[in-house]
Amino acid sequence: VEPSLKPKPVSGFDLEALDDELVIYHPVSAAIFYCNPTAALIFRLCDGQRSVAEITELLTRAYPEARARMADDVRDTLTRLCEHGALTWS
Amino acid sequence: MKERLLAFAQSAVRIGWDTEEQGALLDFLFARIAPHDGVAPHRTLQLRAAGNGTSQLLRDGEPIAECVERGALAEAVLGEVCYQLVDRSRGGLVVHGAALSFDAERAVLLPGASGAGKSTLSLWLLARGAQYLSDELAWLPEGQLRLEAFVRPLNLKLGSRALLDQLLAGRGREQVLRWRDGDLVAPEVFSGPRPIARARLARVVFPRFQPGAALALSALTPAQLTKELLGTVANARNLPRHGLPEAARIAREVSGQRLVYGDTRQLPEFEALLRAELGA
């Protein structure tokens, strides 16, 4: 995942927030994704304006104790959501 | 032609038959289903005698199956009736899953696809005194925590036959339709003369049978439960936002677990935990 890429949600997905977690559902493909609190936060920061690097930096500032693994978490989450069609790049 | 109405989850079909034998088979399959809930039937099915002991199943006058063996005919009729009822069902989630109760008031829902192990688990729990609701379909009316079951005979594959014979220990043979691909077991064999059809939803457990696996029971968060539940909803396309808000509502109010088991000898431990958690 290139740090300069800007992820954004693919249209057509329906979201349901439960506590800090998220369920993402596509009614046409019937694809369903579960996002834990970290993945839910990453997904919500994907607005097509912020780059991967900016999302990582924002989360690292907010959660400095998770600095060591934040870049990996962001990359893995974005890769998974892109592979399943919930995110694309702008 | 004689006929009966079958209603479930605000959907209804009419089914007719020619012979006494066909009528007896439909009694065995559907005597526990509500005859009518005010919904007009959207399909007419019919069993027709086709000679040489063969029965034809027709849908709106068109033949869709022809069977000699009673068990094969039962399987074809069950499959078609369930499909047609689910096709127009609305007013809440119809979940593909089994449902049982330990106290006739609270239901444990066991959703899962074919082969997940829910029928074997249901059979085992029934033999231990649980009450049967369904092994296939449960309707959760919108805005409520009530479960309404499609109460049909327990439909067991060949792989469960040895366990069935062990648990029956010679009783209730006349209430089992045994055929080449499996067994259909009247719920009265285990649950007495009046199986229940509705109860309050108290727990959702997703069983998965993995031969050789150790027993593993893990709690699901509300979001995980929503995802898993939505994956077993059979009538999503008939529901607002495909059932997502309803699945989430239920997940906020009811606990969910994932169960992995590799052998029925592990199930007493699961049963003890489940009963303790439910206070049953």
Side-chain angles (χ1 to χ4, degrees), chain A residues 14-76:
Chain A
D14 197 356
L15 307 180
E16 190 74 34
L18 295 100
D19 300 327
D20 295 334
E21 301 182 320
L22 199 60
V23 177
I24 307 172
Y25 178 62
H26 198 287
V28 176
S29 66
I32 314 170
F33 309 108
Y34 156 74
C35 294
N36 65 20
T38 304
L41 193 53
I42 293 169
F43 181 82
R44 289 185 186 285
L45 290 169
C46 297
D47 60 359
Q49 305 297 314
R50 294 184 185 89
S51 68
V52 175
E54 288 167 333
I55 291 170
T56 305
E57 188 182 336
L58 187 60
L59 289 170
T60 302
R61 278 206 304 272
Y63 301 98
E65 71 282 2
R67 169 183 297 274
R69 63 171 194 277
M70 190 59 79
D72 286 346
D73 282 353
V74 170
R75 188 190 60 235
D76 292 349

Side-chain angles (χ1 to χ4, degrees), chain B residues 38-100:
Chain B
V39 180
H42 69 276
R43 281 277 183 272
T44 296
L45 306 176
Q46 187 189 347
L47 288 180
R48 189 166 67 186
N52 297 326
T54 301
S55 286
Q56 269 188 336
L57 173 62
L58 297 91
R59 179 199 301 141
D60 293 336
E62 293 295 320
I64 56 171
E66 190 166 302
C67 307
V68 177
E69 196 176 356
R70 194 161 173 256
L73 182 62
E75 185 86 357
V77 171
L78 271 181
E80 180 66 14
V81 166
C82 287
Y83 174 82
Q84 293 298 341
L85 287 174
V86 168
D87 190 49
R88 297 291 177 91
S89 61
R90 55 199 161 83
L93 308 180
V94 171
V95 175
H96 184 207
L100 303 166

Side-chain angles (χ1 to χ4, degrees), chain B:
Chain B
M1 183 186 77
K2 295 171 184 171
E3 63 179 36
R4 71 193 306 161
L5 286 172
L6 302 171
F8 175 70
Q10 299 182 2
S11 175
V13 297
R14 177 188 291 116
I15 185 160
W17 67 93
D18 282 345
T19 68
E20 277 186 25
E21 191 181 348
Q22 292 167 344
L25 180 65
L26 294 178
D27 264 346
F28 175 72
L29 298 177
F30 301 123
R32 308 151 200 93
I33 305 297
H36 195 41
D37 68 354
V39 180
H42 69 276
R43 281 277 183 272
T44 296
L45 306 176
Q46 187 189 347
L47 288 180
R48 189 166 67 186
N52 297 326
T54 301
S55 286
Q56 269 188 336
L57 173 62
L58 297 91
R59 179 199 301 141
D60 293 336
E62 293 295 320
I64 56 171
E66 190 166 302
C67 307
V68 177
E69 196 176 356
R70 194 161 173 256
L73 182 62
E75 185 86 357
V77 171
L78 271 181
E80 180 66 14
V81 166
C82 287
Y83 174 82
Q84 293 298 341
L85 287 174
V86 168
D87 190 49
R88 297 291 177 91
S89 61
R90 55 199 161 83
L93 308 180
V94 171
V95 175
H96 184 207
L100 303 166
S101 176
F102 291 113
D103 56 11
E105 291 180 1
R106 294 170 298 171
V108 178
L109 178 61
L110 305 167
S114 296
K118 60 184 190 300
S119 291
T120 304
L121 177 60
S122 300
L123 169 66
W124 191 89
L125 289 169
L126 286 173
R128 302 272 292 191
Q131 285 183 284
Y132 180 76
L133 285 137
S134 183
D135 75 337
E136 180 70 5
L137 296 173
W139 181 48
L140 308 172
E142 196 175 326
Q144 304 178 42
L145 279 184
R146 193 174 85 241
L147 181 151
E148 298 203 5
F150 187 73
V151 192
R152 63 175 210 174
L154 190 61
N155 193 358
L156 298 168
K157 306 239 177 347
L158 276 180
S160 297
R161 181 165 285 175
L163 178 65
L164 174 65
D165 287 344
Q166 177 194 331
L167 296 175
L168 282 177
R171 66 195 160 108
R173 296 280 186 206
E174 68 287 353
Q175 290 175 289
V176 177
L177 199 174
R178 176 154 289 186
W179 66 299
R180 64 181 150 81
D181 286 352
D183 296 287
L184 285 158
V185 185
E188 290 81 1
V189 171
F190 294 108
S191 293
R194 293 170 66 95
I196 54 174
R198 59 183 59 85
R200 180 168 57 83
L201 180 64
R203 181 61 57 97
V204 186
V205 179
F206 294 85
R208 190 150 50 99
F209 175 69
Q210 284 183 334
L215 181 77
L217 194 60
S218 52
L220 297 170
T221 67
Q224 289 171 325
L225 176 53
T226 301
K227 174 185 179 279
E228 297 296 328
L229 197 55
L230 209 53
T232 62
V233 170
N235 65 336
R237 67 183 177 85
N238 299 341
L239 304 174
R241 291 176 57 200
H242 288 73
L244 177 57
E246 269 302 290
R249 179 188 65 79
I250 290 163
R252 288 186 181 99
E253 298 186 47
V254 177
S255 298
Q257 294 168 316
R258 191 179 286 123
L259 165 72
V260 177
Y261 70 101
D263 193 300
T264 53
R265 286 173 296 188
Q266 298 163 344
L267 293 178
E269 195 177 335
F270 164 67
E271 183 200 7
L273 287 169
L274 187 58
R275 283 183 183 270
E277 287 173 8
L278 293 174

